[in-house]
Amino acid sequence: MKKYFLTLCSAASLILTGCFASPTMKMSLPSDSAEYNGATVFLHSINDGDFEYVETTTDTTVTLGNLEELVVDSIPPLEYRIGPLDKVKVIVWEHPELTSPLGEYQESGQQIRPDGKLFFPYAGEIQAAGLTAQELRDEITKRLSDKILNDPQVDVQISSHHSSKVTITGAVHHPGYSYFSELPKTIPLAIAGVGGFTSSADTENMELRRDGKIYVIDYKKLFDQNIPLDRILLKPDDQIYVPSTSITQKENHAFLIGELGKTTSISLKKREVSLTEALVSAGGMNKVTASSSSVYVIRNSKKDRIDVYHLDAKNVMSLVIADHFVLEEHDIVYVDASGLATWNRLISQILPTVQTLYYGVQTVRNIQLISNEME
């Protein structure tokens, strides 16, 4: 029987050891400039204002950022140059046999061949690609004058544009091409040409790809700040991508964990979110278990750099400073547990084991008493 008692005690000891080794989330704060998993950790105090804070400005140069190189001061005079697959309509006044040699069966306009050439009666093949409508008119007038007509009255109209285009994809009603014409091609006109934005469009994160470079365009912000969007002129072969909020909202989040009202994430897409606002959105710090002096924002700034920002929120005035701390994508906001909370959790883990041990010992003793009486 003594053997059974010792076995039970050994088992209880192992269980208690497991309780003490059970996982508990705690912030083990490294020293400044310490190394962690190949990255250097830098510590900052939010209370001391040790973080970058930029005042809001209405200066359009700052607002536009690298978009400034896309913006023009004024709309330059544009001359549309004919390209392959465009259609042109050539009218020779008082000569319908030249204007419409096939009569009612002729399509409106002739399409420029892929090699850029156009055939016109008595004028022969003309290299039309690269010419303006006026230049093509002058060439046809010259050729007809040399052969069959005296002072021909010729007009050239571009009836269909298909050679120069902008590709628009993503959250628009009719993804595809927006073709250039004699009018300047601006972003609003291009978007209108594909049916406009869908209800799920994230207009704050449009992307313009040009010559291998990507520009992020906050369409809504530019519109709200009354910056003329028609000052951003598009060029042939530009590509515009309009993401959906269902995609971008998954990407731009900060995460809140630890001793809070709830573990949650917060979207950073629509506006700037401060640390104070994030804490409130997570239900605030737990009054019983949170260590208000141990609020941390962990930011993986670069591949080899981790910045840890510490906030001591024992004084409620510190939340005013925290309201100037703007969260960034993938920030982790962590509120550590107080020492009392850690102790209570330890006790709550041990108590069931202690009770099991107590009742086990009592059972062994009762068995021993019964065994002694039977002897």
Side-chain angles (χ1 to χ4, degrees):
M1 190 60 62
K2 184 175 181 181
K3 179 180 178 182
Y4 292 139
F5 180 76
L6 291 174
T7 301
L8 182 60
C9 290
S10 299
S13 176
L14 289 173
I15 294 172
L16 283 172
T17 302
C19 288
F20 276 100
S22 62
T24 301
M25 184 181 289
K26 289 289 294 180
M27 181 67 178
S28 179
L29 193 64
S31 59
D32 192 30
S33 299
E35 294 291 325
Y36 177 78
N37 198 26
T40 305
V41 180
F42 296 91
L43 304 182
H44 311 269
S45 171
I46 296 177
N47 299 73
D48 295 339
D50 184 14
F51 60 91
E52 183 179 1
Y53 174 61
V54 180
E55 294 286 348
T56 303
T57 176
T58 57
D59 181 13
T60 58
T61 300
V62 176
T63 303
L64 288 173
N66 68 343
L67 296 183
E68 186 180 8
E69 59 193 69
L70 302 178
V71 176
V72 296
D73 295 329
S74 60
I75 304 299
L78 299 177
E79 286 185 320
Y80 183 82
R81 297 200 170 270
I82 300 167
L85 305 183
D86 282 345
K87 283 186 176 182
V88 296
K89 186 174 183 179
V90 181
I91 301 171
V92 183
W93 293 100
E94 298 182 352
H95 290 277
E97 74 282 4
L98 295 178
T99 300
S100 301
L102 298 180
E104 60 180 320
Y105 301 104
Q106 181 166 323
E107 295 182 2
S108 178
Q110 293 176 256
Q111 190 170 56
I112 307 300
R113 298 202 307 254
D115 61 3
K117 293 182 179 180
L118 167 73
F119 174 81
F120 192 77
Y122 300 103
E125 283 193 342
I126 302 172
Q127 184 63 41
L131 302 179
T132 65
Q134 180 61 44
E135 289 170 346
L136 180 58
R137 173 184 177 273
D138 293 342
E139 181 64 22
I140 294 175
T141 300
K142 177 179 179 300
R143 293 195 182 193
L144 293 180
S145 298
D146 292 342
K147 291 186 178 181
I148 62 169
L149 298 177
N150 293 319
D151 191 24
Q153 301 299 303
V154 178
D155 187 22
V156 173
Q157 300 172 358
I158 302 174
S159 58
S160 181
H161 304 80
H162 286 92
S163 60
S164 299
K165 58 188 179 295
V166 175
T167 304
I168 305 177
T169 57
V172 292
H173 285 288
H174 306 292
Y177 301 126
S178 179
Y179 294 97
F180 282 80
S181 65
E182 290 83 353
L183 298 174
K185 180 65 69 174
T186 63
I187 291 179
L189 283 177
I191 296 298
V194 291
F197 299 115
T198 65
S199 58
S200 64
D202 183 358
T203 59
E204 298 180 6
N205 288 277
M206 290 175 52
E207 294 181 357
L208 169 63
R209 184 189 296 272
R210 175 182 295 174
D211 299 329
K213 187 174 182 179
I214 296 178
Y215 302 86
V216 178
I217 299 174
D218 189 337
Y219 191 98
K220 183 179 183 301
K221 187 174 183 180
L222 295 178
F223 184 84
D224 291 342
Q225 293 186 353
N226 200 29
I227 297 174
L229 287 161
D230 56 5
R231 288 172 53 197
I232 300 178
L233 294 183
L234 298 176
K235 294 182 178 181
D237 299 322
D238 280 352
Q239 299 176 33
I240 294 177
Y241 171 66
V242 183
S244 171
T245 53
S246 62
I247 297 175
T248 54
Q249 285 183 358
K250 291 179 181 178
E251 297 174 348
N252 279 11
H253 275 73
F255 308 96
L256 293 93
I257 59 177
E259 306 306 314
L260 295 162
K262 60 180 179 179
T263 298
T264 186
S265 63
I266 186 169
S267 174
L268 308 179
K269 293 302 300 179
K270 296 299 181 183
R271 54 191 173 81
E272 293 182 342
V273 177
S274 71
L275 174 56
T276 300
E277 182 179 353
L279 292 172
V280 172
S281 70
M285 290 180 279
N286 190 301
K287 296 179 181 178
V288 177
T289 62
S291 171
S292 58
S293 62
S294 303
V295 180
Y296 302 95
V297 178
I298 305 169
R299 178 175 296 166
N300 196 177
S301 304
K302 298 179 181 178
K303 184 178 180 180
D304 57 352
R305 177 186 177 112
I306 299 175
D307 287 284
V308 178
Y309 298 88
H310 171 236
L311 174 69
D312 184 347
K314 278 188 175 180
N315 187 336
V316 71
M317 294 299 292
S318 63
L319 295 178
V320 176
I321 301 175
D323 195 42
H324 293 308
F325 185 96
V326 178
L327 296 180
E328 295 184 2
E329 179 182 352
H330 298 312
D331 277 355
I332 298 174
V333 179
Y334 173 71
V335 179
D336 210 354
S338 65
L340 180 60
T342 303
W343 171 254
N344 287 339
R345 287 170 184 167
L346 183 61
I347 293 300
S348 67
Q349 290 178 342
I350 294 175
L351 188 57
T353 305
V354 172
Q355 290 176 335
T356 301
L357 176 61
Y358 172 77
Y359 290 121
V361 171
Q362 288 295 103
T363 301
V364 171
R365 286 179 178 174
N366 291 336
I367 293 173
Q368 285 180 329
L369 289 175
I370 295 172
S371 178
N372 291 337
E373 290 177 0
M374 291 178 63
E375 292 177 358

